[in-house]
Amino acid sequence: MTHWTSDQLNTIERTGELHIQPQRADGRLRTPTTIWVVRDGDDVFVRSYNGPDGAWWRTAKASGTGHIRCGGIDQDVTFTPVSDPALNDRIDGAYRTKYAAASAYVPPMTADGARASTLKLAPR
């Protein structure tokens, strides 16, 4: 499977948080970390609140693979870094819209550090 199904995308869009487990170099999954997740079209994105300094993010970047759970979805994934400024702008908007009620936490998620940690999730 290389694409999200419509049901998975809708579930992810409705879900406030997901549990992410990047795969370590020894093949084991990290302990789950709860993070926010956004959708842009048929793609799914996450960012580290701590930017590239986040421990889970460093593992995800190094391995490129892991696992997520949210809203009944239990899925192995790949992680692909995102550097396109226009796409990051849309992802900023998705964070602002989806998490408006948590307004104090949104600015750090749309700041340069968090933008530098944007990862696209794809099912595998």
Side-chain angles (χ1 to χ4, degrees), residues 32-105:
T33 301
T34 304
I35 62 170
W36 286 354
V37 58
V38 296
R39 174 183 175 183
D40 180 64
D42 290 339
D43 296 319
V44 176
F45 300 93
V46 295
R47 288 177 172 168
S48 169
Y49 185 84
N50 293 315
D53 293 330
W56 74 261
W57 185 87
R58 290 191 316 268
T59 304
K61 176 104 170 29
S63 72
T65 60
H67 192 84
I68 63 160
R69 287 189 331 272
C70 73
I73 297 170
D74 199 357
Q75 181 69 51
D76 289 332
V77 296
T78 59
F79 305 112
T80 304
V82 173
S83 58
D84 177 11
L87 177 55
N88 263 311
D89 288 345
R90 290 196 313 270
I91 295 167
D92 287 349
Y95 273 101
R96 287 183 186 109
T97 299
K98 184 172 182 178
Y99 297 105
S103 61
Y105 297 99

Side-chain angles (χ1 to χ4, degrees), residues 9-30:
L9 288 168
N10 292 333
T11 297
I12 290 168
E13 191 168 32
R14 287 189 312 267
T15 301
E17 299 174 326
L18 66 75
H19 300 283
I20 193 165
Q21 294 179 272
Q23 188 171 18
R24 298 172 191 228
D26 66 6
R28 293 180 302 132
L29 295 174
R30 280 183 50 92

